[in-house]
Amino acid sequence: MATLKDVARLAGVSVKTVSNVVNGYSFVKPDNRARVEAALEATGYRPNLGARNLRRGRTGFIALVLPELSIPYFAELAGLVIAAAQEHEWNVLIEQTFGTLSGERLALASLGPHLVDAAILSPEALQVEDFQLSVPAVMLGEHAVDVPLSRVGIDNVAAATFAVRHLISLGRRRIAAIGAHPQRGTAALRLEGYRAALAEAGLPFDSSLVVPALNYHRADGAAAMKALLDMRNPPDAVFCFNDLLAVGAMRTAAERFVRVPQDLAIVGFDNNDESAYSSPSLTSIAPDKAAIARAAVNLLRERAGSPDLELDDVQTPFSLQVRESTVAR
Amino acid sequence: MATLKDVARLAGVSVKTVSNVVNGYSFVKPDNRARVEAALEATGYRPNLGARNLRRGRTGFIALVLPELSIPYFAELAGLVIAAAQEHEWNVLIEQTFGTLSGERLALASLGPHLVDAAILSPEALQVEDFQLSVPAVMLGEHAVDVPLSRVGIDNVAAATFAVRHLISLGRRRIAAIGAHPQRGTAALRLEGYRAALAEAGLPFDSSLVVPALNYHRADGAAAMKALLDMRNPPDAVFCFNDLLAVGAMRTAAERFVRVPQDLAIVGFDNNDESAYSSPSLTSIAPDKAAIARAAVNLLRERAGSPDLELDDVQTPFSLQVRESTVAR
DNA sequence: CATCGTTGTTCCAACGATGTAAAGACCGCG
DNA sequence: CGCGGTCTTTACATCGTTGGAACAACGATG
């Protein structure tokens, strides 16, 4: 692998002149520049990023800390973050926490300024005292406790209200919610939006219709739905706090021969790619994931330059994708 | 951020002694070791990986080059690769190619030895002449042309034969295939397996039942299925070259009120997480993804040590998950 | 007591790049 | 012709780390 020194020797100039050419410094004599460029071409020189970054005091990496790549929402988001980071010459390092406190702490601990310039976090269980980060960071989504970090995401309360309002507008009156969780900030906010929509329509809040979910996987949604269908007076609609829960719920409904949407309307949250292709297809709150990714990376760029900018809260747009799980073909 | 120098000053020893302690060198006097360890603790020292790797001539990163993280198979695999790499102190850098030749070339070009120690590739369109890699690499899956790389993956021909044999054993006689592709190696092999199973059962090969797919997304499967159902003599079973195609095909079947599996049995390939929860759930070839990830990382470990090991071909196990898309509840 | 081998420590150079300062080339002007 | 200023290039130090050589301390040995 060619180094600056090799190129310099070949071109008959100093190492620094080559460095100047590589970095686009203006004051290089045309014939020297030409010789250097020829030598660069001939050797196939590629800068050693480690050395460059050591010298420049940055690493060229950002971390993306998320629960699991096997969760479609995070996989899709990760792809978009990688693309957005690439435009700013950042490489993305993905750390999986599996949603556990220890996993998240481990990931955070490995995040030194020597490894990454900044980080994007999607925490679920972290405590306030854990947020002693040594690099600028942005948080995606919402957290249960107030945390000294900038944030990017949609307005969860508004989105949840919007979703439940949609169910109400279809004439549903016994609307359940799946996904309550003691620690997750987003869960609390979506529940709040659910209650707001009910109140707005003058519908009673029935806590037996709120089913908690320890995880947000398909299996949890299926289990929660079983519990709801076993009730003496089952719901005529369900608002699920993410699409995986909704997919699980739909699966249970199908197994029990409950017709969706006739007997039971279902709304999800996240608008995973798969939700447009299920049978029935799933109505879902669709956050603009690309906007989230771009906003997060942009925030980090500002923060990485000037570390002590004040906290920001970027609200990205969302919409409701209405599909067959609430409105039959 | 504390450096070795800071720690050395605090402990009253030389930089190298601290380095020795950090790297577990045996011959350090107990009291010096103790003082150094105290100083390490006090300063919260974390080695600068960039500098360390510059000196050691390695980077601590491996690249994972894949089409898209939004494709569940790759997302699940990426998660497993990250986990496997972590056990060998490797960080994973994900590069997305979007399955295009230019995207793959771009990704390969950015893979210098200064950036990564090794790479795991999932190429789709690359030509033989592109495989001039400057780092050890392993390929996942199969490639259309012979390529000088070690390989990890399942036996695609055997798996495809197994899948189609299953359809035949259910009494299906007009079995279609969705996913033929001029460039993809896996497509050619799966097609070969499909033909082998037909031949074995004495069934005729009908090329009008083989539908190509330019991409392997859900939309492509849906479109291909439409074409099949529009035939004068539509098939009674479909073997799809991946689960996304199968999901798309099932969607089309549902829209046309074709009953699965009664009128049409469907088998997929990859066994995505979502395939267990669709309605009907999807029968699919299930490669052992964790085994693939582990094998790939292990191969790279050997190759990174001694670059010119002979090519290897690791066959990982697979099974057939039988579900409702071929056998009704 | 000189010598030796084993331990323990330090100094120096190097990895590949870039910032700084200073030196060299070149120009026009008085 | 000498001076000052603008280009252009170079030497050197530096980022934080580790390998190697050199050196120092030590008890044991002959």
Side-chain angles (χ1 to χ4, degrees):
Chain A
M1 200 64 192
T3 70
L4 278 189
K5 193 151 57 167
D6 303 324
V7 179
R9 187 166 33 225
L10 186 61
V13 295
S14 79
V15 171
K16 190 64 212 288
T17 298
V18 180
S19 168
N20 285 339
V21 171
V22 170
N23 291 292
Y25 183 67
S26 331
F27 301 124
V28 179
K29 272 218 202 111
D31 64 328
N32 268 347
R33 180 182 295 274
R35 281 220 310 289
V36 169
E37 272 164 358
L40 284 172
E41 183 67 25
T43 53
Y45 169 80
R46 315 269 341 245
N48 180 318
L49 297 186
R52 170 179 285 178
N53 293 333
L54 170 60
R55 186 62 246 242
R56 288 192 179 161
R58 61 190 291 268
T59 70
F61 291 98
I62 61 174
L64 175 58
V65 179
L66 42 75
E68 270 183 84
L69 272 182
S70 63
I71 297 176
Y73 174 73
F74 290 111
E76 294 174 24
L77 196 61
L80 294 166
V81 167
I82 290 176
Q86 210 151 39
E87 299 189 355
H88 301 295
E89 308 205 289
W90 259 331
N91 280 108
V92 177
L93 230 67
I94 296 178
E95 309 246 13
Q96 299 184 103
T97 66
F98 301 99
T100 63
L101 182 55
S102 62
E104 295 188 344
R105 288 200 169 135
L106 204 65
L108 247 54
S110 78
L111 249 58
H114 50 273
L115 187 60
V116 295
D117 298 328
I120 299 176
L121 312 176
S122 246
E124 291 187 342
L126 283 178
Q127 312 292 315
V128 200
E129 66 267 24
D130 291 315
F131 286 87
Q132 305 292 341
L133 295 178
S134 50
V135 294
V138 188
M139 206 178 69
L140 301 183
E142 224 112 8
H143 207 268
V145 287
D146 257 354
V147 141
L149 280 186
S150 288
R151 191 194 84 84
V152 174
I154 67 173
D155 180 336
N156 275 283
V157 178
T161 305
F162 203 83
V164 176
R165 213 181 265 152
H166 168 65
L167 291 170
I168 294 170
S169 78
L170 298 169
R172 311 291 165 151
R173 289 296 171 266
R174 262 184 83 68
I175 302 173
I178 296 180
H181 192 284
Q183 250 127 56
R184 300 195 191 179
T186 47
L189 294 167
R190 289 173 196 180
L191 191 59
E192 188 185 328
Y194 162 82
R195 295 188 71 154
L198 292 184
E200 185 183 276
L203 292 175
F205 170 76
D206 178 351
S207 66
S208 70
L209 287 176
V210 175
V211 187
L214 281 186
N215 283 296
Y216 278 23
H217 293 254
R218 298 177 185 87
D220 305 295
M225 193 72 238
K226 284 191 181 113
L228 285 172
L229 292 180
D230 284 342
M231 289 174 66
R232 201 167 330 147
N233 189 4
D236 57 8
V238 197
F239 169 44
C240 297
F241 288 6
N242 82 355
D243 275 11
L244 292 188
L245 291 171
V247 165
M250 291 210 295
R251 174 73 205 168
T252 293
E255 284 174 4
R256 303 269 182 114
F257 304 105
V258 171
R259 294 171 307 161
V260 175
Q262 294 85 342
D263 305 332
L264 183 73
I266 300 187
V267 178
F269 205 113
D270 284 349
N271 192 34
N272 293 344
D273 288 346
E274 72 184 82
S275 302
Y277 281 85
S278 57
S279 299
S281 56
L282 178 65
T283 295
S284 184
I285 289 288
D288 185 339
K289 294 173 198 133
I292 294 176
R294 276 197 308 272
V297 171
N298 280 336
L299 231 56
L300 286 186
R301 278 208 338 136
E302 299 168 13
R303 295 294 181 290
S306 32
D308 289 323
L309 249 55
E310 63 185 29
L311 297 188
D312 208 341
D313 184 339
V314 180
Q315 300 259 352
T316 53
F318 67 88
S319 62
L320 179 73
Q321 282 287 333
V322 178
R323 300 204 185 91
E324 299 159 5
S325 69
T326 56
V327 178
R329 260 182 295 163
Chain B
M1 200 64 193
T3 71
L4 280 187
K5 193 150 60 164
D6 303 325
V7 179
R9 186 167 33 224
L10 187 60
V13 295
S14 80
V15 171
K16 189 63 208 292
T17 298
V18 180
S19 170
N20 285 339
V21 171
V22 170
N23 291 293
Y25 183 68
S26 329
F27 302 124
V28 178
K29 270 215 204 116
D31 63 329
N32 268 348
R33 180 181 294 274
R35 281 220 311 289
V36 169
E37 271 163 357
L40 285 172
E41 182 67 25
T43 55
Y45 170 80
R46 314 274 336 249
N48 180 319
L49 297 186
R52 167 180 288 177
N53 293 333
L54 170 60
R55 185 62 245 241
R56 287 191 179 162
R58 61 187 294 268
T59 71
F61 292 97
I62 61 175
L64 175 59
V65 179
L66 43 75
E68 273 183 83
L69 272 182
S70 64
I71 297 177
Y73 174 73
F74 290 111
E76 293 173 25
L77 196 61
L80 293 165
V81 168
I82 290 176
Q86 210 151 40
E87 298 187 355
H88 300 294
E89 307 205 292
W90 258 331
N91 280 108
V92 177
L93 228 67
I94 296 178
E95 308 246 13
Q96 300 184 102
T97 67
F98 301 99
T100 63
L101 181 56
S102 61
E104 295 187 345
R105 288 203 169 130
L106 203 65
L108 247 55
S110 78
L111 249 58
H114 49 272
L115 187 59
V116 295
D117 297 328
I120 299 177
L121 311 177
S122 246
E124 291 186 343
L126 283 179
Q127 312 292 316
V128 200
E129 67 266 23
D130 291 316
F131 285 88
Q132 306 292 343
L133 295 178
S134 50
V135 294
V138 188
M139 207 178 67
L140 302 184
E142 225 111 7
H143 207 268
V145 286
D146 256 355
V147 142
L149 281 186
S150 288
R151 192 193 85 84
V152 174
I154 68 173
D155 180 338
N156 276 282
V157 178
T161 306
F162 203 83
V164 176
R165 212 180 266 151
H166 168 66
L167 291 170
I168 295 170
S169 77
L170 298 170
R172 310 292 165 151
R173 287 297 172 266
R174 263 184 83 68
I175 302 174
I178 296 181
H181 192 283
Q183 252 127 55
R184 300 196 192 178
T186 46
L189 295 166
R190 289 174 197 180
L191 191 59
E192 187 185 328
Y194 162 81
R195 296 187 70 152
L198 293 184
E200 184 183 276
L203 291 175
F205 171 76
D206 179 351
S207 66
S208 70
L209 286 177
V210 175
V211 187
L214 282 185
N215 284 294
Y216 278 21
H217 294 256
R218 298 177 185 88
D220 304 295
M225 193 70 237
K226 284 192 181 111
L228 285 172
L229 292 180
D230 284 341
M231 290 174 67
R232 202 164 333 143
N233 190 3
D236 57 8
V238 197
F239 169 44
C240 298
F241 288 6
N242 82 356
D243 274 11
L244 292 188
L245 291 171
V247 165
M250 290 211 295
R251 173 74 205 166
T252 294
E255 285 174 3
R256 302 269 184 113
F257 304 105
V258 172
R259 293 171 308 159
V260 176
Q262 293 86 341
D263 306 331
L264 184 74
I266 301 186
V267 177
F269 205 113
D270 286 349
N271 193 34
N272 293 344
D273 288 346
E274 72 184 82
S275 302
Y277 280 87
S278 58
S279 299
S281 55
L282 178 66
T283 294
S284 184
I285 290 286
D288 185 339
K289 295 173 197 131
I292 294 177
R294 275 195 310 270
V297 171
N298 281 336
L299 231 56
L300 286 187
R301 268 191 7 119
E302 299 168 14
R303 296 294 181 292
S306 32
D308 290 322
L309 248 55
E310 62 185 28
L311 297 189
D312 207 340
D313 184 340
V314 179
Q315 300 258 352
T316 51
F318 68 87
S319 61
L320 180 73
Q321 282 288 331
V322 178
R323 300 206 184 90
E324 300 159 5
S325 68
T326 57
V327 178
R329 259 182 295 160

